[in-house]
Amino acid sequence: MSTLTKPNHIGRKISRIRELRDMKQEALAQALGISQQSISAIENSETIEEERLIEIAKVLGVNVEALKNFSDEAAINFFNTVSDNDINGNVFNANVNSCSFNPLDKMMEIVDENRKLYERLLQAEKDKLEYLEKILNGK
């Protein structure tokens, strides 16, 4: 059994999931509207009120049952059994933004379009000035 997650120590489970989410205590505290010291106290608690647990689970992006049943061993086993197909599938791409184009190429296309538009506007102004000069000079 892991020394990091005792079966009934909900505070340690919250701490581990928070760490796996790469979230600091301050961020969790802010999301819950409490102090960082309160998060520290929660993570050191073996039990937590159900309402607070629901709030924490929501902020951490897990359901309450996953939070209650979390163990380091189960997480390690899950990641060790994931196949390449799963990594490329919906399971992991749900929160990943993937572009079907090169953003730099797209930006260069936009810059080029803006340059062409500017050149057309500039030419239109030159044509207008030539026309006005012809009118003023009586030609």
Side-chain angles (χ1 to χ4, degrees):
M1 180 182 300
S2 171
T3 57
L4 293 176
T5 308
K6 291 181 181 177
N8 297 325
H9 200 293
I10 194 71
R12 287 197 184 116
K13 293 177 182 186
I14 291 169
S15 175
R16 288 295 293 140
I17 293 173
R18 178 183 56 74
E19 290 168 355
L20 289 170
R21 293 275 190 202
D22 199 27
M23 181 184 283
K24 294 189 178 291
Q25 284 185 340
E26 293 84 5
L28 181 57
Q30 185 177 13
L32 294 170
I34 59 177
S35 69
Q36 180 271 326
Q37 291 82 3
S38 297
I39 295 298
S40 181
I42 288 170
E43 290 181 354
N44 287 316
S45 300
E46 286 191 38
T47 59
I48 297 172
E49 298 172 2
E50 190 70 18
E51 287 179 20
R52 179 62 77 185
L53 198 58
I54 293 168
E55 293 172 359
I56 292 169
K58 186 175 181 180
V59 171
L60 291 175
V62 298
N63 64 40
V64 176
E65 289 306 311
L67 191 60
K68 288 179 180 179
N69 297 323
F70 176 82
S71 74
D72 287 314
E73 293 83 6
I76 291 168
N77 289 338
F78 173 78
F79 287 109
N80 284 339
T81 59
V82 172
S83 69
D84 288 340
N85 290 335
D86 290 335
I87 291 172
N88 295 323
N90 293 331
V91 174
F92 288 96
N93 285 334
N95 294 324
V96 176
N97 295 325
S98 59
C99 292
S100 60
F101 59 89
N102 183 338
L104 291 176
D105 289 342
K106 193 69 169 173
M107 186 178 77
M108 292 309 296
E109 285 177 25
I110 293 169
V111 167
D112 191 47
E113 289 173 12
N114 285 338
R115 182 188 51 78
K116 289 176 183 176
L117 177 61
Y118 174 76
E119 288 173 356
R120 285 196 313 260
L121 289 171
L122 190 60
Q123 186 60 47
E125 287 297 315
K126 287 178 183 178
D127 293 345
K128 187 171 28 172
L129 283 174
E130 285 179 22
Y131 178 74
L132 288 173
E133 285 179 6
K134 285 181 184 178
I135 292 175
L136 290 174
N137 292 331
K139 294 184 182 177

